[in-house]
Amino acid sequence: MRSSTFLLGASLVLVFLVLYTSSDLSEGARKQKESLREATRKVASTQLERTEKSTDGINSEIVHRKEKIVHRRRSRNNRITEGLKTQRKRIDSKKIIETVTAHDQAEDISDLLKRVATPDKTIIMTAINDAWTAPGSLLDLFFESFHHGDQILHMLNHLVIVAMDQKAFEKCKSQHPHCYLLRVDGLNFASEQSYMKGDYLEIMWRRNRFQQSILELGYNFLFTDVDIVWFHNPFPHLSQEADLIMSTDFFVGDPKSLGNYPNGGLLYVRSGHNTIEFYKNWQLSRQQFPGKHEQYTFDKIKGELSARLGVKIQFLDTA
């Protein structure tokens, strides 16, 4: 009985010790877990703070760069705007000058065209400057060809010679009754102009604009370079179906093919709403091809404009 009581007491003591030890171990584990959690929170908090600081720095740099970009764009846009305003003022001033000049010239040329034109309101036209009017020069050869040609001397009665400078105009008047001075303020067209150099481009484009003014006054024209000699009447060779007929540097065999490479040295144009609009668009197209002459530009736009405006274009065989 005593032995049984002793064993029972010992067992109770052992159970108590196990429970106490387990409780102690659980408390230690709990404290250990809490310490681990606290350490984890501190590490996470520290990393978060570092990340936030880093992000704030990056965001600040991004904002700063954006502000710089915006500032540069605003400055650039302001410069462009101011530049455009200045350019518009110059253009407006230039338009005023050109309008006045064009108005004065329109009155002069209108009277001249009435005297020179054929019954169907067609004129022959060429352009010269001082370098081309010296004795024995191109102008003398040009006149001589009419005298030696096949019954074409009378065509000089329908010829308007456009002088690009005052000296050329004076020399023209001493040789021919139908001369016209194309006044171009601020530019010197008197000297010999090499191809694509000096004022060559401006001469070509001013000549083109003058041709447009002839059409706007209701006259057809046959323009000829002064270095082309005339021996026969060219008009029978010009199709009555075409609105615009031009010579070529290279003829592909078909006068109606837009694949022909044009040469504006001999150019016939009938006056009409469509050809006037063609010339206006031709002038505007100069901006698309800076540094190029009117012949190059014509080659680039002839297909689109002829189709859109209904202008019938034909080309002359080089022969």
Side-chain angles (χ1 to χ4, degrees):
M1 185 67 177
R2 287 180 181 177
S3 176
S4 298
T5 303
F6 175 78
L7 289 172
L8 180 60
S11 297
L12 291 172
V13 170
L14 181 60
V15 170
F16 176 79
L17 287 173
V18 169
L19 291 174
Y20 178 80
T21 304
S22 298
S23 176
D24 187 54
L25 287 172
S26 297
E27 183 65 20
R30 184 182 62 79
K31 290 182 179 180
Q32 209 170 19
K33 285 181 181 180
E34 288 180 356
S35 297
L36 184 59
R37 288 196 190 98
E38 183 63 26
T40 302
R41 280 196 297 269
K42 286 182 179 181
V43 171
S45 178
T46 303
Q47 288 179 344
L48 181 61
E49 288 178 3
R50 289 176 180 175
T51 302
E52 287 176 349
K53 288 181 180 179
S54 177
T55 303
D56 290 342
I58 293 171
N59 290 337
S60 178
E61 180 65 21
I62 290 172
V63 171
H64 182 64
R65 289 183 181 181
K66 282 184 178 179
E67 288 176 350
K68 278 187 174 181
I69 292 171
V70 170
H71 178 71
R72 284 199 298 268
R73 286 179 178 174
R74 285 176 179 171
S75 299
R76 183 191 63 188
N77 291 339
N78 289 337
R79 288 195 301 270
I80 292 172
T81 302
E82 291 302 317
L84 289 173
K85 286 180 180 178
T86 303
Q87 189 176 7
R88 287 193 192 102
K89 289 179 181 178
R90 289 175 181 170
I91 292 173
D92 291 342
S93 300
K94 187 177 180 182
K95 282 182 178 177
I96 292 171
I97 294 171
E98 288 184 347
T99 300
V100 173
T101 305
H103 178 70
D104 293 340
Q105 292 180 353
E107 293 178 347
D108 297 337
I109 192 63
S110 179
D111 293 337
L112 177 58
L113 293 176
K114 289 177 183 178
R115 298 196 307 270
V116 176
T118 62
D120 68 345
K121 301 189 72 174
T122 299
I123 67 162
I124 302 168
M125 179 169 54
T126 192
I128 60 171
N129 69 353
D130 182 47
W132 297 340
T133 59
S137 65
L138 292 173
L139 184 60
D140 284 348
L141 293 174
F142 182 72
F143 280 137
E144 188 177 349
S145 70
F146 284 89
H147 287 272
H148 292 282
D150 183 15
Q151 299 181 355
I152 60 170
L153 184 59
H154 69 281
M155 287 188 168
L156 289 176
N157 296 326
H158 307 295
L159 172 67
V160 175
I161 299 179
V162 180
M164 306 297 289
D165 61 87
Q166 186 66 39
K167 289 183 179 180
F169 180 63
E170 296 299 330
K171 291 178 181 179
C172 178
K173 287 194 300 181
S174 67
Q175 297 177 279
H176 187 66
H178 310 308
C179 303
Y180 178 75
L181 175 60
L182 181 60
R183 303 180 185 91
V184 183
D185 297 333
L187 294 173
N188 177 23
F189 292 160
S191 60
E192 182 178 357
Q193 300 294 329
S194 300
Y195 180 71
M196 298 299 289
K197 295 182 179 179
D199 291 324
Y200 175 86
L201 283 178
E202 199 58 40
I203 288 178
M204 295 298 102
W205 281 106
R206 291 301 178 99
R207 190 180 76 178
N208 181 269
R209 178 63 185 89
F210 182 72
Q211 291 172 354
Q212 178 184 325
S213 69
I214 299 300
L215 298 175
E216 290 171 342
L217 290 170
Y219 292 87
N220 317 311
F221 68 80
L222 175 59
F223 178 85
T224 171
D225 275 345
V226 76
D227 60 357
I228 295 178
V229 290
W230 285 44
F231 294 117
H232 300 279
N233 183 352
F235 286 97
H237 301 280
L238 303 179
S239 171
Q240 296 299 310
E241 299 177 356
D243 300 307
L244 187 154
I245 303 173
M246 187 180 288
S247 57
T248 57
D249 280 331
F250 181 79
F251 186 69
V252 299
D254 179 5
K256 296 182 180 180
S257 172
L258 294 177
N260 289 296
Y261 191 78
N263 184 311
L266 192 67
L267 172 64
Y268 175 73
V269 186
R270 285 191 173 88
S271 177
H273 177 72
N274 57 346
T275 53
I276 293 171
E277 286 301 311
F278 188 100
Y279 260 80
K280 288 180 179 178
N281 283 271
W282 191 354
Q283 282 281 323
L284 291 173
S285 297
R286 182 182 182 182
Q287 300 172 7
Q288 295 178 266
F289 307 97
K292 301 297 183 180
H293 52 63
E294 88 296 351
Q295 185 174 292
Y296 175 92
T297 304
F298 175 87
D299 188 49
K300 298 298 182 183
I301 65 173
K302 63 182 187 290
E304 188 272 329
L305 287 185
S306 61
R308 177 159 59 87
L309 300 174
V311 175
K312 297 178 181 178
I313 300 176
Q314 288 193 19
F315 297 92
L316 297 174
D317 189 339
T318 50

